[in-house]
Amino acid sequence: MNRTKKIVVLGATGSIGKQTLTCVDDANRLRPGTFEIVGLSAYSNVQALAELAKRYPKAGLACVGLSMTGSAPTCSNLGTRWFFGPDAIRKLLDSLEADLVVNGVASAAGFLASILALEHDCDLALANKESVVMGFSQIKKLADAKGLSIIPVDSEHAALFQLTSRIGTQSITELTLTASGGPFRTMPLEQLKAITPEDAARHPVWKMGKKISIDSATLANKGLELIEAVRLFSMPEDRVSILIHPESIVHALVRTKDSALYAYMSEPDMKLPINIALNWPEEEPALYGRLDLAGKILHFEAPDTGRFPMLRLAREALRLDEAVTNAYNAANEVAVSAFVEHRILFTQIPEVVENTLSKNWSLETADIDSIFEIDARARHYAEEYVRKVSC
Ligand code: NDP
Ligand code: MG
């Protein structure tokens, strides 16, 4: 593609969003005019968005969690298009033309962002794994109907995307995702109860937003990623495994029919998968993640599902259907918020999810509204359980 690629970054003030903008700036320094930022969004961090407006003066701006009235002093002196409120991303996308939307929105709110990106005929660079867990059937239907691409940004899935497209899906029999194992991999079990939200948010390798860091500590993040891998690569659940690999150098592996394993390795740096997604289907310039293996010692072990029940629960949800994986995600979000608010213990997060999954989930996910209904119902059950057990 020789013309400038027009890009919208949703969740621009977060970890993925900021790293995306670094990749865009680096690419434009190397080859001026490679990318143009035409839209940016945040939830409530209007100050950070106003700063970005100075850096990208042509971008429209959406602030989903605020109204115009409260934010006028911050943005009134900028001659940019601003949109506020729950419908801000839709209005932003209505107001522009873009080739690619990077979805770096945190949590379940990212599902609607994915739908809106595809409805507006944009390819989707997808960091928001919750979109796939909540309602991949709707996302896939929309993308297929419009001939649009979904390019995974989550590092393990970006690695699988590279391995499967380079090796060919017909030769691949199994997928493996690696997990760092989080900060409590070797902590004695009886100490897990005393973990604070601050301890849980401190990831040993990756610098990420708070929610995904806590999910990495419970391995709910790997549960979500297992579901993501099964759906994105149309692989049966029992052919996708998880391997603990504390160094986070190998991001994913595939096994081929001849039983050989192929590993995808790089330094742990999200800018590598982001840069690949920004440039896709062109090959990206080699800017990030270059690995020198000399002197590196890599470790691998099977996950302890007794210590990390969120992995077992993700598999159980996956064996049922999309309504149940949607409920898994919603219940986990409620449980993580309750843990952050010191209402439940770290070890009660999986209890909240297990209790929610035990309800009746024989529901259809035939349209987008039913996906939101299931999400709301699961939040209600999870909140009810939190109230019952809260400390
Ligand atoms: P952050 O918490 O750092 O950033 C989240 C972004 O989303 C912020 O811009 C925030 O705005 C915005 N946001 C939050 N809530 C809403 C909402 N309700 N509606 C619209 N926008 C909202 O998250 P991360 O960047 O860490 O993660 C983003 C997504 O990417 C998640 O789905 C995560 O699982 C996934 N991911 C992240 C990785 C990482 O390295 N960080 C790696 C792989 C996947 P504001 O600043 O105003 O609050
Ligand atoms: Mg990941």
Side-chain angles (χ1 to χ4, degrees), residues 10-19 41-46 48 63-65 89 103-110 113 126-131 153-156 206-213 215 221 224-225 228 270:
L10 303 179
T13 51
S15 161
I16 289 289
K18 285 191 225 163
Q19 293 182 82
S41 86
Y43 182 69
S44 58
N45 197 347
V46 71
C63 205
V64 178
I89 291 178
N103 185 353
V105 170
S107 309
L126 189 59
N128 179 270
K129 59 197 84 184
E130 294 84 351
S131 297
V153 170
D154 208 350
S155 56
E156 300 77 0
W206 301 94
K207 296 277 158 286
M208 311 181 283
K210 191 169 183 177
K211 161 71 171 45
I212 183 175
S213 299
D215 283 349
N221 182 50
L224 296 169
E225 291 185 354
E228 189 185 10
M270 282 308 295

